[in-house]
Short mmCIF file of all heavy atoms in Angstrom, two decimals:
data_model
loop_
_atom_site.label_atom_id
_atom_site.label_comp_id
_atom_site.label_asym_id
_atom_site.label_seq_id
_atom_site.Cartn_x
_atom_site.Cartn_y
_atom_site.Cartn_z
N PRO A 165 -45.04 79.76 -21.82
CA PRO A 165 -44.21 78.89 -22.64
C PRO A 165 -44.63 78.93 -24.08
O PRO A 165 -43.88 78.81 -24.99
CB PRO A 165 -44.36 77.52 -21.99
CG PRO A 165 -45.59 77.58 -21.16
CD PRO A 165 -45.75 79.05 -20.82
N LYS A 166 -45.98 79.07 -24.30
CA LYS A 166 -46.50 78.91 -25.66
C LYS A 166 -47.76 79.68 -25.72
O LYS A 166 -48.65 79.50 -24.85
CB LYS A 166 -46.70 77.46 -25.89
CG LYS A 166 -47.37 77.06 -27.21
CD LYS A 166 -47.43 75.53 -27.28
CE LYS A 166 -48.51 75.06 -28.18
NZ LYS A 166 -49.87 75.31 -27.79
N VAL A 167 -47.92 80.56 -26.70
CA VAL A 167 -49.16 81.37 -26.85
C VAL A 167 -49.73 81.04 -28.25
O VAL A 167 -49.03 81.14 -29.24
CB VAL A 167 -48.84 82.89 -26.73
CG1 VAL A 167 -50.10 83.71 -27.09
CG2 VAL A 167 -48.46 83.14 -25.28
N ASP A 168 -50.99 80.72 -28.30
CA ASP A 168 -51.64 80.32 -29.55
C ASP A 168 -52.22 81.52 -30.31
O ASP A 168 -52.21 81.54 -31.49
CB ASP A 168 -52.71 79.27 -29.28
CG ASP A 168 -52.19 78.07 -28.58
OD1 ASP A 168 -51.25 77.48 -29.02
OD2 ASP A 168 -52.74 77.78 -27.50
N VAL A 169 -52.76 82.44 -29.55
CA VAL A 169 -53.38 83.67 -30.11
C VAL A 169 -52.93 84.91 -29.32
O VAL A 169 -53.05 84.90 -28.13
CB VAL A 169 -54.93 83.59 -30.14
CG1 VAL A 169 -55.50 84.94 -30.63
CG2 VAL A 169 -55.39 82.46 -31.07
N LEU A 170 -52.41 85.91 -30.04
CA LEU A 170 -52.06 87.18 -29.40
C LEU A 170 -53.01 88.20 -30.01
O LEU A 170 -53.13 88.32 -31.22
CB LEU A 170 -50.60 87.52 -29.75
CG LEU A 170 -50.10 88.85 -29.28
CD1 LEU A 170 -50.00 88.97 -27.77
CD2 LEU A 170 -48.69 89.20 -29.89
N PHE A 171 -53.69 88.92 -29.10
CA PHE A 171 -54.66 89.91 -29.55
C PHE A 171 -54.15 91.34 -29.21
O PHE A 171 -53.93 91.62 -28.02
CB PHE A 171 -56.04 89.72 -28.89
CG PHE A 171 -57.14 90.63 -29.32
CD1 PHE A 171 -57.37 90.88 -30.66
CD2 PHE A 171 -57.92 91.27 -28.36
CE1 PHE A 171 -58.41 91.80 -31.03
CE2 PHE A 171 -58.93 92.17 -28.76
CZ PHE A 171 -59.15 92.37 -30.07
N LEU A 172 -53.90 92.12 -30.21
CA LEU A 172 -53.37 93.49 -29.96
C LEU A 172 -54.56 94.47 -30.03
O LEU A 172 -55.22 94.61 -31.05
CB LEU A 172 -52.36 93.85 -31.08
CG LEU A 172 -51.18 92.92 -31.25
CD1 LEU A 172 -50.33 93.42 -32.40
CD2 LEU A 172 -50.38 92.77 -30.03
N ASP A 173 -54.81 95.07 -28.89
CA ASP A 173 -55.95 96.03 -28.85
C ASP A 173 -55.67 97.19 -27.82
O ASP A 173 -56.60 97.54 -27.12
CB ASP A 173 -57.24 95.26 -28.49
CG ASP A 173 -58.52 96.10 -28.76
OD1 ASP A 173 -58.42 97.13 -29.50
OD2 ASP A 173 -59.56 95.75 -28.23
N HIS A 174 -54.46 97.64 -27.73
CA HIS A 174 -54.16 98.66 -26.68
C HIS A 174 -53.89 99.98 -27.31
O HIS A 174 -54.72 100.86 -27.27
CB HIS A 174 -53.04 98.17 -25.73
CG HIS A 174 -51.77 97.75 -26.43
ND1 HIS A 174 -51.69 97.23 -27.67
CD2 HIS A 174 -50.49 97.70 -25.88
CE1 HIS A 174 -50.40 96.99 -27.92
NE2 HIS A 174 -49.67 97.17 -26.86
N VAL A 175 -52.71 100.16 -27.95
CA VAL A 175 -52.39 101.47 -28.56
C VAL A 175 -51.78 101.14 -29.92
O VAL A 175 -50.74 100.39 -29.96
CB VAL A 175 -51.33 102.20 -27.71
CG1 VAL A 175 -50.96 103.52 -28.34
CG2 VAL A 175 -51.82 102.49 -26.26
N GLU A 176 -52.35 101.63 -31.00
CA GLU A 176 -51.92 101.25 -32.36
C GLU A 176 -50.42 101.52 -32.51
O GLU A 176 -49.79 100.77 -33.14
CB GLU A 176 -52.76 102.00 -33.40
CG GLU A 176 -54.20 101.56 -33.51
CD GLU A 176 -55.08 102.04 -32.39
OE1 GLU A 176 -54.82 103.11 -31.79
OE2 GLU A 176 -56.12 101.42 -32.14
N ASP A 177 -49.93 102.62 -31.89
CA ASP A 177 -48.47 102.97 -32.11
C ASP A 177 -47.59 102.00 -31.38
O ASP A 177 -46.38 102.00 -31.58
CB ASP A 177 -48.24 104.35 -31.58
CG ASP A 177 -48.78 105.40 -32.55
OD1 ASP A 177 -49.15 105.08 -33.64
OD2 ASP A 177 -48.85 106.58 -32.09
N LEU A 178 -48.14 101.11 -30.49
CA LEU A 178 -47.30 100.14 -29.81
C LEU A 178 -47.42 98.74 -30.40
O LEU A 178 -46.75 97.84 -30.01
CB LEU A 178 -47.70 100.05 -28.32
CG LEU A 178 -47.43 101.25 -27.47
CD1 LEU A 178 -47.92 101.07 -26.05
CD2 LEU A 178 -45.95 101.58 -27.42
N TYR A 179 -48.25 98.60 -31.47
CA TYR A 179 -48.44 97.25 -32.03
C TYR A 179 -47.14 96.65 -32.55
O TYR A 179 -46.84 95.51 -32.26
CB TYR A 179 -49.46 97.29 -33.19
CG TYR A 179 -50.90 97.41 -32.80
CD1 TYR A 179 -51.34 97.61 -31.51
CD2 TYR A 179 -51.93 97.34 -33.80
CE1 TYR A 179 -52.74 97.72 -31.21
CE2 TYR A 179 -53.25 97.44 -33.49
CZ TYR A 179 -53.63 97.66 -32.16
OH TYR A 179 -55.02 97.77 -31.90
#
Side-chain angles (χ1 to χ4, degrees):
K166 176 177 156 294
V167 171
D168 305 306
V169 172
L170 175 68
F171 181 50
L172 306 178
D173 193 18
H174 54 336
V175 178
E176 289 75 24
D177 285 349
L178 292 177
Y179 284 5

